[in-house]
Every structure is written in structure tokens, then in C-alpha cells.
């Protein structure tokens, strides 16, 4: 996972470092479920929509907020844009948890009964005053839509913050991974519960 550069309170920072070759970071999905669900949701096909991403976050750069200033770490990139990263991550996670018959990206054009429309509200590291170690914030909102009548069944919001272990890119990436695993699992289980109730 590449270089680990300290943010220094004396001036030098990850935002100012001049790295000749960017390092791309990936976020591992949670371990897959070992047993398939038997709820009513396990009989349906779910589509994950192309996320709407908050301004400034839809990039392959890792966003940083200090106070009211938005910036990006230099020399550090996600594997793809936040839009592509989040959609792919949710498709894989929800499929691996065996809560639904199938899970696919909306653009795959696979027929399904429900669409989970995603909004990415937060996907950034944040530095508070007087604290040189960042906190990662991830917030996702899912709007569950029944496709046959385009009815909004429920809006499901999941978010969390995780402090990085230290002031290094590898620690920041690890905090993103922990946050995304928690948020995606919560979103998966709550979506399955809402689908099961609607089917019932």
C-alpha cells in the first residue's frame, strides 16, 4: 500500500509532498457470509444505482477537509473514482453477504425487483484543530425503490467516523476500509430487512 508519509505540524505535509509516482489504494470488502439468508429478500434480485457523490468528492484523489477547506492528499489515489469505487464495493459486499438472490450494478441491465439508489454524502479524511491525526468520515444514503411501480419504499442512511491509527497514508487508508466495511454491512442488513417486510 505504498509510502507512509507523516503530516508534520511544522510545515511539511502529505498535501504538500511531491511524490513522483502516485500510489493507488484499495479498500477490502468484509468477509463473505458462510450461510445464505432464508428471508424473503433472498428471493429477489437487487440493483445498485450509480451513486450521486457530494461535490468535490467524485474523484480518484483522497479528499481531505481542514476546517472549511477541501484539499487532496498528493501522491495518493483510489483505484477508481469514488463513484465507481463505492458502487463496485456495494455490489460485491451485498452479493457476498448472501442476503439477496443476486446483486448487480444498475448499468448491467439485469432485471430486478428493487433498486438501491445511493448518495455519497461523506468520503473524506478530516483534520480537527489541534489534532494532527485525521478522522475518516463515511456517510451513505440508500433510497430503496420498487422498480415495477417506481415506489420509494424507504430511505436508509448509514455513516460512521474512524480515527486513523497514526498520521500516515497507510493508516488513513485502513481507517477508510474499517469505515466502509461497517457502513456497507449496515446498509446491506437494513436493506434486506426492508425488502423482506415489503415482500411480506
Amino acid at each position: 500500500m505504498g509510502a507512509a508519509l507523516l503530516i508534520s505540524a511544522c510545515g511539511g505535509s502529505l498535501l504538500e509532498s511531491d511524490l513522483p509516482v502516485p500510489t493507488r489504494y484499495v479498500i477490502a470488502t468484509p468477509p463473505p457470509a458462510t450461510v445464505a439468508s432464508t428471508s424473503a429478500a433472498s428471493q429477489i434480485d437487487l440493483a445498485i444505482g450509480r451513486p450521486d457523490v457530494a461535490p468535490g468528492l467524485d474523484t480518484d484523489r483522497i479528499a481531505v477537509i481542514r476546517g472549511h477547506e477541501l484539499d487532496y492528499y498528493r501522491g495518493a489515489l483510489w483505484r477508481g473514482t469514488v463513484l465507481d469505487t463505492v458502487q463496485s464495493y456495494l455490489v460485491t459486499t451485498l452479493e457476498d453477504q448472501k442476503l439477496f438472490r443476486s446483486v448487480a450494478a444498475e448499468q448491467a441491465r439485469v432485471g430486478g425487483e428493487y433498486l438501491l439508489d445511493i448518495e455519497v454524502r461523506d468520503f473524506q479524511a478530516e483534520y480537527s484543530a489541534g489534532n494532527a491525526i485525521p478522522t475518516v468520515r463515511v456517510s451513505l444514503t440508500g433510497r430503496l425503490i420498487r422498480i415495477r411501480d417506481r415506489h420509494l419504499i424507504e430511505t436508509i442512511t448509514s455513516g460512521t467516523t474512524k480515527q486513523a491509527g497514526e498520521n500516515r497514508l497507510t493508516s488513513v487508508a485502513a481507517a477508510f476500509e474499517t469505515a466502509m466495511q461497517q457502513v456497507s454491512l449496515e446498509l446491506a442488513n437494513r436493506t434486506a430487512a426492508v425488502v423482506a417486510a415489503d415482500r411480506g
Side-chain angles (χ1 to χ4, degrees):
M1 298 232 331
L5 298 179
L6 287 171
I7 289 183
S8 167
C10 305
S13 77
L14 286 174
L15 280 68
E16 299 165 1
S17 298
D18 184 16
L19 297 182
V21 179
T23 300
R24 291 195 176 269
Y25 290 86
V26 297
I27 305 173
T29 54
T34 56
V35 179
S37 169
T38 57
S39 77
S42 66
Q43 303 303 311
I44 68 100
D45 301 308
L46 178 70
I48 305 295
R50 295 280 285 172
D52 292 322
V53 183
L57 300 183
D58 189 21
T59 171
D60 61 354
R61 303 175 72 185
I62 301 177
V64 183
I65 292 179
R66 293 176 182 267
H68 297 289
E69 297 181 5
L70 172 66
D71 207 332
Y72 306 91
Y73 289 122
R74 288 193 179 182
L77 303 173
W78 296 123
R79 182 167 58 180
T81 65
V82 168
L83 185 156
D84 291 330
T85 297
V86 169
Q87 186 186 36
S88 175
Y89 191 97
L90 291 178
V91 168
T92 300
T93 297
L94 272 66
E95 179 80 23
D96 285 350
Q97 295 310 303
K98 299 182 171 70
L99 297 169
F100 308 94
R101 181 167 61 190
S102 73
V103 182
E106 178 185 20
Q107 60 270 27
R109 302 185 183 279
V110 176
E113 293 93 333
Y114 294 86
L115 168 69
L116 187 62
D117 199 35
I118 298 294
E119 178 185 355
V120 181
R121 295 186 174 184
D122 295 289
F123 202 81
Q124 72 272 349
E126 299 177 354
Y127 288 87
S128 58
N131 192 351
I133 299 178
T135 296
V136 165
R137 185 182 303 275
V138 173
S139 301
L140 304 181
T141 295
R143 295 176 180 86
L144 185 66
I145 299 168
R146 191 169 55 222
I147 292 176
R148 61 180 167 81
D149 57 3
R150 303 303 295 179
H151 178 66
L152 174 63
I153 304 299
E154 190 164 330
T155 298
I156 303 166
T157 298
S158 179
T160 190
T161 58
K162 299 293 180 184
Q163 188 171 37
E166 54 186 331
N167 218 3
R168 297 175 181 272
L169 283 171
T170 49
S171 293
V172 172
F176 269 104
E177 182 171 286
T178 302
M180 265 304 279
Q181 289 183 353
Q182 178 180 323
V183 167
S184 63
L185 286 174
E186 181 179 3
L187 201 60
N189 287 297
R190 290 177 62 188
T191 299
V194 172
V195 168
D198 185 61
R199 296 282 287 185

